[in-house]
Amino acid sequence: MNSHVASHGNPALSKFNPLPRIISYDDFDDGVCGWTQLVGNYEETLDNIRNSDDTRAPMLSSIPMFDIGSHGAMDGTYALKVATRGQPGHFAYAVKRMTWQRLGVIQLEAFITYTVEASRLTLGDEDLRAFTIQMDLQDGYEDRGRRAIPSIRYHNSQEGELRRVWQTRSKYMRPKVRTGPSDKASAGSTHALRADEFEDIPDAYQPLCYNEVATKINWHYVRWLVDLDGLHSLEFQCNDRVYDLRGFPPVSGEAESNLSNLLNLAFAVEADADRRCFFYVDSVLLSAED
């Protein structure tokens, strides 16, 4: 499956396994590469902003630690950092907004890691609730299309109890709420990370390398294959484990008139305790079929 670009010895790309056509490659040593904060919709006045959720903006980070200095990314100095507040249930969300060129199979690959703030001298692996990899897709507009939010969630812990299982989004709850007179910026639970919207993937218990103290991190490879035409996941891989998702039906809803060809990518992280939780991305590659 390697593209001709990756197979010709480019060190930055050869660590990935892309489909033949590379759409975007984000190495955060080059900047934020279009990744930004999720902001609630509004119209005419900021007083009617909806679903802002205080998600915090992503930032570039050299991953400083109090005991070792700057950890750095897997390659180079900077990674994209998504960070929560130190309160249970708080989540942070980073999104990259794009559009697709043709309906077909696409693949997202990334090297990621996660940890909690070393604000106390305990490991804290149970203090991070979950992190999520998400797409926001639309194949048309109004009555000519559908919108879907396929999501892969690593449910690490719940109320201090470790789970360490991969989940997929099984419900699509998005009641529309008008934010102004034109209804062009309606809001709903499109990007919600509610636990009742997810179900465990069968046989998807996978303890990830978290290391021994909160200032040590290890990078993980993830790969996600998605069918744009069907608006659903096909396959997900983390390190050596591959999960077949073809048996999960697509979860879609009503299309929006102004979101045709929508292709958004997102990462999110959730806290399970009164401790800040961090999700880092070294690099991201999005590729597609010929």
Side-chain angles (χ1 to χ4, degrees):
M1 286 177 67
N2 269 10
S3 72
H4 67 282
V5 177
S7 63
H8 278 74
N10 184 329
L13 295 177
S14 60
K15 65 188 179 209
F16 294 102
N17 189 31
L19 299 179
R21 186 167 59 93
I22 292 177
I23 299 173
S24 67
Y25 171 59
D26 300 340
D27 183 336
F28 298 107
D29 284 316
D30 298 327
V32 294
C33 302
W35 291 84
T36 187
Q37 178 180 2
L38 176 66
V39 177
N41 292 337
Y42 54 88
E43 192 171 18
E44 295 188 350
T45 173
L46 294 177
D47 292 336
N48 62 19
I49 192 168
R50 300 277 184 166
N51 287 1
S52 60
D53 290 317
D54 184 32
T55 58
R56 320 307 295 155
M59 61 180 291
L60 297 179
S61 176
S62 61
I63 316 180
M65 302 293 186
F66 78 89
D67 51 359
I68 61 171
S70 293
H71 188 288
M74 190 180 82
D75 288 323
T77 302
Y78 294 103
L80 187 73
K81 176 182 180 180
V82 189
T84 72
R85 290 191 183 275
Q87 59 190 58
H90 188 269
F91 76 92
Y93 194 98
V95 59
K96 179 168 182 171
R97 297 184 172 96
M98 306 170 63
T99 53
W100 51 263
Q101 301 169 31
R102 66 175 70 97
L103 292 174
V105 175
I106 61 172
Q107 180 176 266
L108 182 148
E109 296 174 273
F111 284 88
I112 63 169
T113 192
Y114 62 101
T115 190
V116 297
E117 187 173 34
S119 55
R120 46 187 179 265
L121 301 181
T122 58
L123 181 60
D125 55 339
E126 73 283 353
D127 292 338
L128 186 143
R129 179 173 297 169
F131 62 82
T132 302
I133 308 169
Q134 192 172 78
M135 295 187 188
D136 189 357
L137 310 173
Q138 187 165 301
D139 62 358
Y141 55 90
E142 294 177 327
D143 60 345
R144 297 177 56 184
R146 301 163 297 158
R147 188 179 181 187
I149 318 290
S151 308
I152 302 293
R153 182 180 189 241
Y154 185 72
H155 192 188
N156 180 65
S157 70
Q158 189 71 38
E159 298 180 353
E161 296 292 329
L162 289 172
R163 294 205 70 233
R164 295 172 172 170
V165 64
W166 291 103
Q167 299 180 311
T168 187
R169 192 169 188 171
S170 59
K171 297 179 182 178
Y172 183 52
M173 302 176 181
R174 189 170 54 86
K176 281 191 175 184
V177 179
R178 290 177 63 122
T179 59
S182 74
D183 200 26
K184 290 184 178 180
S186 61
S189 60
T190 303
H191 300 281
L193 298 174
R194 290 172 41 169
D196 62 354
E197 293 192 8
F198 291 87
E199 64 176 298
D200 293 354
I201 297 170
D203 194 29
Y205 173 72
Q206 186 179 2
L208 300 181
C209 181
Y210 191 77
N211 223 301
E212 300 140 326
V213 297
T215 59
K216 294 182 179 181
I217 58 173
N218 291 75
W219 296 95
H220 304 273
Y221 170 74
V222 293
R223 180 182 61 86
W224 188 16
L225 203 64
V226 175
D227 178 13
L228 285 179
D229 192 30
L231 296 182
H232 68 97
S233 302
L234 298 175
E235 186 176 88
F236 178 73
Q237 176 181 352
C238 179
N239 294 336
D240 60 327
R241 295 285 304 276
V242 179
Y243 304 99
D244 187 351
L245 303 178
R246 290 169 176 82
F248 290 86
V251 182
S252 59
E254 180 183 353
E256 302 282 355
S257 62
N258 53 336
L259 294 180
S260 58
N261 293 61
L262 184 70
L263 171 54
N264 288 355
L265 313 177
F267 296 107
V269 60
E270 304 169 66
D272 196 58
D274 58 347
R275 196 171 183 177
R276 296 177 71 206
C277 296
F278 304 141
F279 181 81
Y280 297 100
V281 188
D282 169 80
S283 51
V284 185
L285 184 69
L286 183 67
S287 59
E289 295 177 317
D290 281 330

